[in-house]
Amino acid sequence: MDGLGGIEAHWVWITLGLVLAGTEMLVPGVYLVWLALAAIATGVLTAFVEPSVPLQIVDFVALSLIAVFSARRFLQSRPLEGPDPLLNRRGAQMVGQSALVVQAIAHGQGRVRLGDGEWLAEGPDLEIGRRVRVTATRGTVLLVEPLALPDGSGSAAGL
């Protein structure tokens, strides 16, 4: 490249790629890494072929688009999952847990205590004090069914 004091063009592209990769580590977003790979690839290509500056820029833009769209397509078909896929899905975490009816479920609606909070619940009519199991959620409403305790009752009076 002209005007860079004798620095060879491929080193400029490789340096740009490393700077973009470092920036990706500081400001994670999984976007700059693809531009970094395109810049490094442009640097390697420039080291061997020595194209003109406009052609180097066209190479960088083309490689960037290829990298970004390829990564996007790949990640859509294979989404990244963390160690706890239910982390931000509070309702899904409650499915299978038992709760205590604190407001009778009448006409299909009532309230249950689960953990340290009370939740709206839908299910068969049940009186206060009955144990229920959460079977599903609909928004912030827990769908419940009666839970039979080992003593044969569904009441939590002995608990």
Side-chain angles (χ1 to χ4, degrees), residues 8-45:
E8 296 181 30
H10 66 277
W11 290 118
V12 173
W13 285 109
I14 292 172
T15 303
L16 176 64
L18 294 174
V19 167
L20 287 169
T23 304
E24 176 70 33
M25 286 189 256
L26 295 175
V27 186
V30 190
Y31 186 73
L32 293 177
V33 68
W34 310 119
L35 298 179
L37 290 174
I40 292 170
T42 301
V44 170
L45 182 66

Side-chain angles (χ1 to χ4, degrees), residues 6-136:
I7 300 174
E8 296 181 30
H10 66 277
W11 290 118
V12 173
W13 285 109
I14 292 172
T15 303
L16 176 64
L18 294 174
V19 167
L20 287 169
T23 304
E24 176 70 33
M25 286 189 256
L26 295 175
V27 186
V30 190
Y31 186 73
L32 293 177
V33 68
W34 310 119
L35 298 179
L37 290 174
I40 292 170
T42 301
V44 170
L45 182 66
T46 302
F48 293 111
V49 180
E50 297 183 20
S52 64
V53 174
L55 191 53
Q56 291 175 31
I57 293 171
V58 169
D59 288 343
F60 172 70
V61 170
L63 289 170
S64 296
L65 291 173
I66 291 169
V68 168
F69 286 112
S70 297
R72 182 176 177 196
R73 186 172 184 171
F74 178 79
L75 291 174
Q76 280 180 343
S77 65
R78 295 172 190 82
L80 301 175
E81 285 220 12
D84 186 6
L86 301 178
L87 180 64
N88 291 322
R89 296 176 47 209
R90 180 76 171 126
Q93 292 175 355
M94 295 180 184
V95 173
Q97 295 187 23
S98 64
L100 180 66
V101 176
V102 292
Q103 178 183 347
I105 300 177
H107 308 293
Q109 295 183 340
R111 292 184 71 82
V112 297
R113 176 173 297 282
L114 180 60
D116 61 352
E118 289 187 10
W119 298 82
L120 292 174
E122 291 182 0
D125 293 350
L126 296 168
E127 67 278 357
I128 294 173
R130 285 290 304 260
R131 281 277 178 199
V132 293
R133 178 173 311 284
V134 179
T135 57

